Amino acid sequence: MSDTLTPDVIGRRVEVNGEHATVRFAGVVPPVAGPWLGVEWDNPERGKHDGSHEGTVYFKCSQLSKLQEVSLRNCAVSCAGEKGGVAEACPNIRRVDLSKNLLSSWDEVIHIADQLRHLEVLNLSENKLKFPSGSALTGTFSALKVLVLNQTGITWAEVLRCAAWCPGLEELYLESNNIVISERPTDVLQTVKLLDLSSNQLIDENQLYLIAHLPRLEQLILSDVGISSIHFPDAGIGCKTSMFPSLQYLVVNDNQISQWSFFNELDKLPSLRALSCLRNPLTKEDKEANTTRQLIIASIGQLKTLNKCEILPKERRTAELDYRKAFGNEWKQAGGHQDPDKNRLSEEFLRAHPRYQFLCLSTCVYAGGLQGADFPLEQSVPLEYGAPEDWELKTQQPFMLKNQLLTLKIKYPDQLDQKVLEKQLPGSMTIQKVKGWLSRLLKVPVSDLLLSYESPKEPGIEIKLENDLQSLRFYSVENEDCLLVRW
């Protein structure tokens, strides 16, 4: 061996008596004379040492046998390599990213998977994989839970064929494949909890019916598929559909949704709790974004999260009360009446506002449905809204929540020398901005101000305005209410 070693020797591959290794150290190892190379053997049983000598650690081996996650994205991988080599070097791998490589056949994928019996997550995106024309492949992904096949050009028939190899699959990602759902899964995909079909522009409402009975599907991602409508023909007004029985989270961002009937239909999904519907014609962020959010909340009774923002009970109550008032005159003209026995709502109104009648009830809703009702309704909490009164409809203002002005009386309970002030404020104005205005008016630091309000309808009941980021509307502040200011 030469007395000197070049700096670039580290990382080089070497062969010794037919065994392969990687150079991890080059230098002196006192008290032994001369330069030495420390190598990490491909065969974990080959080495005699652990990279240390007489208590000094010179290098550490990566211990490939303990490796559980590997990313080989865009590394020109084209085959499984030497038979059994993967299993021998890395038998405990659980997550593999093989995206954007040169794999051309599912045979090679199976050869890799056959050696990784603990494999749970496999990403094959951006590989163009050919299915064999003959008999089915014998390999099976017995432990696989997550399979990512984005931009692979796979067809729906091939998806079902591939799914047969994954008996415990829970998450399947199929983005940007021009997929057409051509048949209903029968013996496959029955364990799938998440299905991503984003950017498959050929999918339409009728195709969704073919996957509507997957028993465990909890999350469905349909972003950028061009969908504009959805309908559950098995469920009438106020009823729940048998389709998508376990669906809790639906994503329909970047689509063509422009009709409120879309959200009315979503209220029929029995398990839906979260919805994301950003960047649609009906939900684009504009000056009425807050109004749109409230209408969606009022339309889907069981929703807990909208566009990744939690729906607090107070926000739901405000949204439903405003919805009830906004369409009160239309309800009355369509045959609505405060006396349930005289209530004769038109079919047209019920189709346009299927939850309105529910919001007008003044009773309790339990898990088994509405007491005394002849149609099923969602689980909820006791409601006390009741039908809108005539005085509410007469004083109703246009449903422009963000721009609506509230006429408020401003009082100072602890400052008797201050005169009562009457002021118009936007319902969308946050408590923080109200405090800022009052601070300038009263010459009092914002941090010293405490706000609450009371309504002439409920004298003596004072409601604190504690969250500076919420609006007056959030707290159900209405015209003629009294804003109480303390410092």
Side-chain angles (χ1 to χ4, degrees):
M1 183 182 294
S2 169
D3 289 339
T4 61
L5 295 171
T6 59
D8 62 350
V9 71
I10 303 296
R12 285 192 177 184
R13 296 283 288 164
V14 297
E15 180 182 351
V16 182
N17 298 328
E19 295 279 0
H20 293 79
T22 303
V23 177
R24 299 298 185 198
F25 170 79
V28 296
V29 183
V32 185
W36 286 83
L37 292 178
V39 300
E40 178 180 357
W41 297 101
D42 289 2
N43 180 0
E45 298 179 358
R46 172 66 174 80
K48 297 180 180 179
H49 306 286
D50 60 358
S52 63
H53 180 68
E54 293 187 356
T56 300
V57 178
Y58 293 93
F59 68 96
K60 289 185 177 181
C61 295
S62 59
Q63 296 181 298
L64 293 179
S65 61
K66 296 182 179 180
L67 193 63
Q68 294 191 6
E69 184 170 349
V70 174
S71 177
L72 295 170
R73 175 175 171 80
N74 200 19
C75 288
V77 176
S78 61
C79 64
E82 185 180 343
K83 185 176 181 180
V86 177
E88 185 177 347
C90 312
N92 292 306
I93 288 179
R94 283 163 167 73
R95 301 170 64 93
V96 175
D97 183 353
L98 289 170
S99 60
K100 204 172 185 180
N101 275 292
L102 302 178
L103 295 167
S104 60
S105 168
W106 274 99
D107 292 285
E108 292 299 335
V109 176
I110 293 294
H111 293 159
I112 295 172
D114 271 344
Q115 302 178 62
L116 302 173
R117 293 302 179 182
H118 303 291
L119 187 62
E120 297 178 356
V121 180
L122 178 59
N123 187 346
L124 296 169
S125 298
E126 299 177 76
N127 288 284
K128 304 301 179 184
L129 301 170
K130 204 166 32 172
F131 276 76
S133 56
S135 58
L137 298 176
T138 57
T140 177
F141 300 82
S142 58
L144 199 67
K145 295 181 180 179
V146 180
L147 180 59
V148 187
L149 296 172
N150 300 333
Q151 301 182 57
T152 57
I154 194 169
T155 67
W156 184 250
E158 291 170 342
V159 168
L160 300 185
R161 184 176 175 185
C162 178
W165 309 330
C166 313
L169 193 64
E170 295 182 0
E171 298 182 15
L172 179 58
Y173 298 84
L174 299 169
E175 182 180 336
S176 302
N177 283 303
N178 288 322
I179 282 177
V180 174
I181 303 175
S182 54
E183 58 182 298
R184 178 175 175 175
T186 51
D187 300 325
V188 295
L189 301 181
Q190 302 302 298
T191 58
V192 167
K193 296 180 179 179
L194 184 154
L195 179 60
D196 186 354
L197 293 167
S198 297
S199 300
N200 287 286
Q201 294 283 339
L202 301 178
I203 290 178
D204 60 26
E205 176 184 353
N206 292 325
Q207 293 176 43
L208 295 180
Y209 296 150
L210 295 174
I211 59 171
H213 296 284
L214 293 176
R216 299 186 185 180
L217 185 61
E218 296 177 358
Q219 300 183 53
L220 179 59
I221 305 175
L222 295 173
S223 295
D224 188 33
V225 298
I227 192 170
S228 61
S229 64
I230 194 166
H231 181 60
F232 302 110
D234 65 323
I237 296 172
C239 298
K240 297 299 181 185
T241 179
S242 62
M243 300 183 186
F244 298 103
S246 301
L247 188 63
Q248 298 178 23
Y249 182 34
L250 176 63
V251 180
V252 287
N253 299 331
D254 302 296
N255 280 294
Q256 301 301 318
I257 302 166
S258 60
Q259 301 296 324
W260 287 109
S261 58
F262 186 95
F263 300 102
N264 291 337
E265 286 296 306
L266 295 187
D267 188 54
K268 296 179 180 180
L269 291 170
S271 302
L272 188 66
R273 297 295 180 269
L275 173 67
S276 184
C277 54
L278 300 170
R279 298 177 297 278
N280 280 276
L282 201 60
T283 63
K284 285 182 179 177
E285 294 185 4
D286 57 16
K287 63 180 182 179
E288 293 306 318
N290 188 51
T291 299
T292 301
R293 176 177 172 86
Q294 289 197 322
L295 280 170
I296 294 173
I297 292 171
S299 298
I300 308 175
Q302 69 272 24
L303 208 60
K304 302 295 183 184
T305 304
L306 178 57
N307 295 330
K308 297 187 178 180
C309 293
E310 182 183 3
I311 302 169
L312 299 175
K314 190 164 289 187
E315 183 182 15
R316 171 162 292 283
R317 177 178 174 83
T318 299
E320 291 178 342
L321 281 171
D322 283 329
Y323 181 83
R324 171 179 159 276
K325 293 177 185 177
F327 297 99
N329 282 323
E330 189 177 332
W331 166 80
K332 193 170 183 179
Q333 292 168 6
H337 199 282
Q338 283 85 0
D339 185 347
D341 294 333
K342 298 179 180 179
N343 200 37
R344 299 291 185 270
L345 278 172
S346 68
E347 188 73 19
E348 182 181 4
F349 181 86
L350 288 172
R351 281 198 305 269
H353 306 282
R355 285 199 78 231
Y356 194 93
Q357 188 70 351
F358 171 78
L359 297 176
C360 290
L361 296 169
S362 180
T363 184
C364 294
V365 179
Y366 300 97
L370 182 66
Q371 288 188 328
D374 57 359
F375 54 92
L377 288 166
E378 69 263 29
Q379 298 181 18
S380 188
V381 295
L383 291 175
E384 298 177 351
Y385 299 162
E389 300 291 339
D390 289 338
W391 65 267
E392 293 181 274
L393 303 184
K394 289 177 182 177
T395 59
Q396 178 186 347
Q397 296 185 18
F399 194 49
M400 302 281 287
L401 299 184
K402 199 164 185 180
N403 297 327
Q404 191 175 32
L405 294 177
L406 303 174
T407 301
L408 305 176
K409 291 181 180 178
I410 300 174
K411 295 182 179 180
Y412 314 92
D414 299 337
Q415 309 290 330
L416 301 180
D417 57 328
Q418 293 279 358
K419 293 182 179 180
V420 175
L421 177 67
E422 189 170 286
K423 181 71 175 179
Q424 285 191 321
L425 299 176
S428 60
M429 193 172 187
T430 64
I431 305 306
Q432 187 177 47
K433 290 183 178 179
V434 174
K435 285 184 176 180
W437 168 72
L438 286 168
S439 174
R440 293 188 296 272
L441 177 70
L442 302 171
K443 311 299 182 186
V444 175
V446 170
S447 57
D448 291 348
L449 293 173
L450 299 174
L451 303 187
S452 59
Y453 85 96
E454 61 181 9
S455 170
K457 302 174 191 174
E458 299 176 292
I461 298 178
E462 189 173 331
I463 299 174
K464 294 181 180 180
L465 306 178
E466 298 176 312
N467 190 335
D468 285 353
L469 300 180
Q470 296 294 355
S471 67
L472 293 170
R473 272 290 176 188
F474 176 83
Y475 286 101
S476 300
V477 178
E478 299 179 342
N479 268 322
E480 307 304 327
D481 284 351
C482 185
L483 190 62
L484 305 176
V485 184
R486 294 182 175 89
W487 63 90

